[in-house]
Amino acid sequence: MSSFSTVLTRLGLDEHSPLLASGIAQDLVDGKRTIAIHDYALPDWCKDVDIAVVVKNDDDAGLIVGVVRFGEDIDYASDDASFTRDAALHGTTENLGRGWVVRAARRCEHCNTKLKPKYRDFFEAVADTEGPSFVILHPIYGKIASVAIDHIIKRLPSLPVPSGSKQGYLGASVPAVLAACPLNVVKASAVCAEGVFKAADGVATAPISRADLMKGFLVHSDEDGKPIAKGGPLRLAFP
């Protein structure tokens, strides 16, 4: 599994987007229910924003099944007549007091994610800390994103390096790796002047101009698709 920023970015969401754990998650995404009944008001920070909907697997993990956007929050607490009238929309007989109206919903690739409690049924995604990651650092703000190496190898397009000492080797292009990052990182990469690659052992490249940087590859396999024997799991290569 990739880092959480990659998971949410792949769904078109910011890495800090809220996640909602719901027993009717799939129905909301499929449009079978367009009002979600709750016993508390929809928080202001959840109105008219994309929210990943999660089916919880246990207390700290779940499966993202889609994305919803809530608009109106109906007060059913003292209006049983309206609650009964909207029965076909919410599909329940128990009036808990509030009805969150789904303004938009879409399915997505199912993604497992770890969860950190935020507020009642809402959670934050937690980075998967298992396995090494390709970390992107800002000279002022420090770490701004990470992409699991497993994600780079297995999920991003593997392209042959067209020329140079690693010609024919397979890897993910630098633009593809950046595109797997949160939107703020993508925007920052569009205006950066240069970048430096630094290995886990501390060895670093000289500053590389953005124009040259975007021609690079993070190589992970040889010409036959086998993991590179030395210097892995990723090697930097330029045509």
Side-chain angles (χ1 to χ4, degrees):
M1 179 178 146
S2 61
S3 68
F4 78 93
S5 60
T6 301
V7 169
L8 294 183
T9 303
R10 194 163 68 242
L11 304 182
L13 305 178
D14 182 84
E15 63 179 281
H16 299 297
S17 296
L19 293 91
L20 172 66
S22 174
I24 61 169
Q26 197 63 59
D27 283 353
L28 293 175
V29 172
D30 291 341
K32 294 179 179 179
R33 304 195 197 194
T34 55
I35 297 178
I37 301 300
H38 289 267
D39 60 358
Y40 58 98
L42 179 68
D44 288 339
W45 44 269
C46 289
K47 294 180 180 178
D48 291 317
V49 300
D50 286 336
I51 299 170
V53 187
V54 177
V55 177
K56 289 187 70 177
N57 298 327
D58 50 47
D59 289 341
D60 62 355
L63 179 71
I64 299 174
V65 297
V67 178
V68 301
R69 182 178 286 249
F70 294 108
E72 183 183 1
D73 178 12
I74 302 173
D75 185 358
Y76 285 131
S78 57
D79 192 355
D80 283 328
S82 294
F83 178 80
T84 301
R85 178 200 65 204
D86 295 339
L89 304 179
H90 54 66
T92 184
T93 58
E94 184 178 8
N95 184 358
L96 299 179
R98 310 296 299 197
W100 304 351
V101 180
V102 178
R103 176 165 293 176
R106 61 182 172 89
R107 300 183 184 91
C108 71
E109 173 189 352
H110 288 189
C111 304
N112 287 297
T113 183
K114 295 179 181 179
L115 301 170
K116 177 182 177 182
K118 182 178 178 69
Y119 173 75
R120 303 192 70 156
D121 298 307
F122 290 94
F123 294 81
E124 296 176 350
V126 178
D128 183 355
T129 57
E130 299 178 1
S133 295
F134 179 76
V135 178
I136 298 177
L137 302 174
H138 188 280
I140 297 175
Y141 304 114
K143 178 181 175 180
I144 57 175
S146 65
V147 183
I149 290 177
D150 186 62
H151 178 81
I152 294 174
I153 295 174
K154 296 180 180 180
R155 303 298 295 262
L156 298 184
S158 293
L159 303 174
V161 178
S163 60
S165 62
K166 295 291 187 296
Q167 183 175 0
Y169 278 43
L170 302 176
S173 69
V174 169
V177 175
L178 291 174
C181 294
L183 184 58
N184 63 309
V185 178
V186 177
K187 290 181 177 179
S189 68
V191 297
C192 75
E194 59 187 21
V196 173
F197 286 87
K198 187 175 182 179
D201 60 6
V203 177
T205 68
I208 304 170
S209 70
R210 183 185 183 280
D212 288 334
L213 194 69
M214 293 303 168
K215 300 175 184 177
F217 289 82
L218 295 181
V219 173
H220 51 70
S221 306
D222 63 17
E223 304 97 317
D224 299 320
K226 298 178 182 179
I228 49 180
K230 296 182 179 180
L234 297 177
R235 293 287 301 274
L236 180 64
F238 287 91

